[in-house]
Amino acid sequence: MTDKTLFITGASSGIGAETARAAVAKGWRVALMARSADKLKTLVQELGADSALAITGDVTKYDDLTAAVSATKDKFGQIDAVFANAGMGLDTPGVAEGDPDEWQAMMDLNVMGVLWTVKASYEALKDTKGHLILTGSVAGQIHLPGSVYGASKWFVHGFGGNMSEEMRGWGGRCTVIAPGMVDTPFFEQPKPDKLKPEDVAQTVIFALEQPKRADVRNLTIMPTG
């Protein structure tokens, strides 16, 4: 068991919520940030108020993130790991039919939301020589025809590598988790033969549990279906 604290964005459902459950089962305390106050409240009731903190906020707003980091430190004393998980896809993935307003919303979340999360939590992680985990995607490792979403995840993978190099200078680590297709609310239609959120959550826990001498920078998880 551990007294360590994990801060999770996009925590109210899917991968974020399952990671919270898996982390608490391993003895972590979790700070859960998302826009859905009702879902967060239900999750905290499930996990227990001593182990979990609900923080309603928008990761595209830097002030919300700085307030969330402060609230986490006020309750738990420190932040040992950050899981920048919040993200979105597109209804129309290609360029020709794509909606520029939808692109802007996605980039605000998938790119700037990651940057704001890391910026807001940087000093807290440095204080604990902590671990940063980013939700990437297999779409950020391969080329897909005209995929604007894939391009946003290429950013995450590139930024994650850069953060690994920076954080090693002060004893921290950064891991990018790259799932294939996952059966989550991310998709309108169920994907029963694909990965489950709990599969990705266990990959996050695997990264967090590696010994300090091991810097696991990228983990790819694909469905067998």
Side-chain angles (χ1 to χ4, degrees), residues 195-217:
L195 295 168
K196 299 298 181 185
E198 51 266 38
D199 302 327
V200 184
Q202 290 301 322
T203 307
V204 174
I205 299 301
F206 172 83
L208 291 173
E209 289 186 335
Q210 294 308 295
K212 277 292 186 179
R213 65 181 178 272
D215 185 7
V216 180
R217 297 190 174 192

Side-chain angles (χ1 to χ4, degrees), residues 93-117:
V95 172
E97 302 83 10
D99 180 350
D101 291 335
E102 192 181 23
W103 294 348
Q104 184 68 64
M106 185 193 67
M107 291 298 181
D108 286 346
L109 184 56
N110 291 8
V111 175
M112 294 309 302
V114 171
L115 288 173
W116 294 144
T117 300

Side-chain angles (χ1 to χ4, degrees), residues 99-173:
D99 180 350
D101 291 335
E102 192 181 23
W103 294 348
Q104 184 68 64
M106 185 193 67
M107 291 298 181
D108 286 346
L109 184 56
N110 291 8
V111 175
M112 294 309 302
V114 171
L115 288 173
W116 294 144
T117 300
V118 175
K119 176 69 172 176
S121 62
Y122 186 89
E123 292 301 325
L125 282 175
K126 193 172 182 180
D127 287 343
T128 59
K129 297 182 179 179
H131 199 149
L132 172 64
I133 297 186
L134 310 178
T135 298
S137 172
V138 169
Q141 297 175 319
I142 62 176
H143 293 289
L144 299 169
S147 177
V148 181
Y149 168 77
S152 76
K153 290 300 184 178
W154 275 82
F155 166 82
V156 173
H157 282 261
F159 181 59
N162 293 348
M163 288 306 301
S164 288
E165 290 299 321
E166 178 163 342
M167 293 174 71
R168 72 184 299 190
W170 42 260
R173 297 180 290 181

Side-chain angles (χ1 to χ4, degrees), residues 36-51:
S36 176
D38 290 343
K39 289 181 180 179
L40 289 178
K41 181 180 178 180
T42 300
L43 186 56
V44 168
Q45 288 173 343
E46 174 191 337
L47 299 175
D50 291 339
S51 298

